[in-house]
């Protein structure tokens, strides 16, 4: 309690209280299997014990939506991503309809970590189809998302662009740079940013379309896109510029070498043909015979 100042009554002094324990540690209120699991995860910092308690919460039907999602995230952090995938597939039917999109997002990250690209692509396509059908965000135009403890609003437009960006990256992992390019271009039309522009640039480099790649990269280097000023974007754009310049140098050298080899080959071939074929009349043999017969008649 703060000491009263001169002329101030004690009952006028504001009492400064510490925030409640669950608020201080960002825990849900109460005492249940799920709350205990969160306490072990966030306060005691024991992920393996937290996973056991999350299982108990799911089996007890205590906040199953959150318990399943949180358990899968902790499993991923513990390099148990394959187990997390099977857990979501096995228990998502116990979760509410509102939780399904969030579980899909966790699954996409898990597929990515495990290198299961085909399943990742199929799920991303499914999410795009839901947006097209108006089923995403439970039919709403925006949703509330959370990142690093902060809440923010996500629009359908941004979500579509994000999913397209993830789909483009998945195609790149398959080496399908043509499909990746198409997807990234669509994403940039919807909601352009520096990260997707860098990925598009890489797609074009892989296809040896260096002029187009340079044009895309210039937008990032000149700060024309959202996120261009972020440190990661600046570092990556400089790395891509170096790669692009190296590729262009190699391409020019290869073209020059190819032309030199071709010129030398043609010159050598001409010389060889001259050596094999002595100088003689260009007329066909039958005309040579006619000319000889004509000379005899003249005599």
């Amino acid at each position: 309690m703060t000491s009263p100042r001169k002329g101030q009554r004690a009952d006028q002094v504001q009492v400064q209280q510490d925030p409640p324990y669950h608020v201080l540690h960002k825990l849900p209120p109460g005492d249940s299997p799920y709350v205990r699991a969160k306490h072990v995860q966030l306060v005691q910092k024991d992920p393996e014990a937290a996973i056991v308690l999350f299982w108990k919460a799911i089996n007890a039907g205590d906040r199953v939506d959150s318990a399943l999602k949180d358990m899968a995230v902790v499993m991923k952090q513990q390099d148990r991503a394959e187990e997390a995938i099977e857990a979501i597939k096995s228990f998502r039917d116990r979760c509410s309809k509102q939780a399904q999109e969030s579980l899909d997002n966790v699954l996409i990250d898990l597929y990515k970590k495990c290198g299961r690209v085909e399943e990742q692509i199929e799920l991303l396509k499914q999410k795009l189809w839901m947006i097209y059908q108006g089923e995403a965000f439970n039919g709403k135009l925006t949703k509330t998302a959370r990142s690093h403890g902060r809440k923010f609003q996500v629009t359908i437009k941004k979500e579509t662009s994000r999913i397209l960006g993830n789909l483009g990256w998945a195609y790149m992992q398959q080496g399908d740079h043509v499909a990746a390019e198409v997807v990234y271009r669509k994403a940039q039309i919807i909601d352009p940013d520096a990260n997707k522009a860098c990925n598009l640039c890489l797609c074009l480099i892989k296809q040896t379309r260096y002029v187009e790649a340079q044009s895309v990269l210039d937008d990032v280097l000149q700060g024309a896109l959202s996120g261009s000023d972020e440190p990661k974007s600046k570092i990556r754009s400089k790395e891509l510029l170096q790669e692009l310049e190296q590729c262009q140098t190699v391409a020019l050298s290869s073209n020059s070498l190819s032309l030199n080899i071709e010129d030398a080959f043609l010159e050598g071939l001409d010389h060889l043909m001259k050596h094999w074929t002595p100088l003689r009349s260009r007329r066909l043999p039958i005309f040579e015979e006619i000319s000889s017969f004509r000379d005899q008649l003249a005599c």
Side-chain angles (χ1 to χ4, degrees):
M1 179 182 295
T2 305
S3 300
R5 295 193 302 270
K6 186 177 180 179
Q8 186 180 29
R9 298 199 312 267
D11 60 350
Q12 293 177 328
V13 178
Q14 291 184 350
V15 178
Q16 295 180 349
Q17 295 180 340
D18 292 332
Y21 184 84
H22 70 276
V23 174
L24 183 64
H25 294 282
K26 299 180 180 179
L27 297 171
D31 181 22
S32 67
Y34 176 72
V35 174
R36 288 193 289 273
K38 293 299 290 184
H39 183 273
V40 170
Q41 177 196 1
L42 300 176
V43 180
Q44 297 182 11
K45 308 293 185 182
D46 188 344
E48 291 296 337
I51 290 172
V52 173
L53 292 172
F54 280 130
W55 273 123
K56 290 183 178 180
I58 293 168
N59 291 325
D62 180 29
R63 304 193 191 188
V64 179
D65 293 0
S66 299
L68 181 57
K69 178 184 172 182
D70 290 349
M71 184 181 71
V73 171
V74 175
M75 281 181 165
K76 178 188 172 187
Q77 294 168 348
Q78 295 300 109
D79 292 326
R80 295 169 60 180
E82 292 285 357
E83 290 180 64
I85 290 171
E86 294 308 314
I88 291 177
K89 288 184 174 181
S90 299
F91 291 93
R92 68 182 306 167
D93 61 331
R94 299 190 186 185
C95 298
S96 66
K97 181 180 178 181
Q98 289 76 18
Q100 299 304 317
E101 282 188 56
S102 181
L103 289 172
D104 282 341
N105 290 334
V106 175
L107 265 181
I108 288 169
D109 286 341
L110 292 168
Y111 286 146
K112 185 176 181 180
K113 184 173 179 65
C114 295
R116 294 165 65 164
V117 181
E118 286 289 345
E119 289 161 291
Q120 184 185 356
I121 288 174
E122 286 305 311
L123 190 49
L124 288 166
K125 287 180 178 179
Q126 180 181 320
K127 289 180 73 68
L128 288 171
W129 178 249
M130 288 178 64
I131 291 175
Y132 177 73
Q133 294 289 94
E135 298 174 2
F137 293 7
N138 296 309
K140 299 178 181 178
L141 296 178
T142 62
K143 73 172 182 179
T144 302
R146 186 188 297 271
S147 177
H148 304 292
R150 294 187 305 106
K151 290 183 178 180
F152 57 95
Q153 292 294 310
V154 179
T155 64
I156 283 287
K157 180 179 176 181
K158 282 191 173 293
E159 180 71 357
T160 303
S161 180
R162 185 188 70 82
I163 294 171
L164 285 170
N166 288 338
L167 182 58
W169 185 253
Y171 278 131
M172 287 184 70
Q173 303 316 298
Q174 288 187 322
D176 192 346
H177 300 109
V178 175
E181 178 199 348
V182 172
V183 172
Y184 276 127
R185 288 193 184 279
K186 289 183 181 295
Q188 287 297 80
I189 291 172
I190 296 171
D191 186 34
D193 64 42
N195 181 54
K196 292 192 290 289
C198 287
N199 289 338
L200 175 57
C201 173
L202 183 58
C203 285
L204 295 168
I205 290 174
K206 295 296 184 181
Q207 298 178 68
T208 66
R209 291 159 59 186
Y210 303 131
V211 175
E212 293 174 77
Q214 183 70 63
S215 176
V216 172
L217 189 58
D218 284 343
D219 287 338
V220 182
L221 295 171
Q222 295 168 9
L225 296 173
S226 171
S228 297
D229 295 332
E230 294 179 3
K232 289 176 65 176
S233 297
K234 288 184 177 181
I235 293 171
R236 189 163 183 230
S237 59
K238 288 179 181 178
E239 291 174 347
L240 284 170
L241 182 61
Q242 291 177 351
E243 182 177 351
L244 183 57
E245 289 173 346
Q246 290 174 358
C247 289
Q248 289 172 323
T249 301
V250 171
L252 287 172
S253 300
S254 298
N255 289 339
S256 176
L257 179 62
S258 176
L259 289 173
N260 291 337
I261 291 174
E262 187 174 352
D263 290 343
F265 171 75
L266 291 175
E267 184 179 347
L269 185 60
D270 286 343
H271 179 75
L272 188 63
M273 293 299 292
K274 288 177 183 178
H275 177 72
W276 281 351
T277 309
L279 290 174
R280 55 177 295 179
S281 171
R282 294 178 180 274
R283 291 182 296 183
L284 293 173
I286 185 63
F287 292 108
E288 294 289 347
E289 293 176 6
I290 291 174
S291 295
S292 175
F293 180 68
R294 183 188 62 190
D295 293 340
Q296 291 177 4
L297 289 177
C299 294

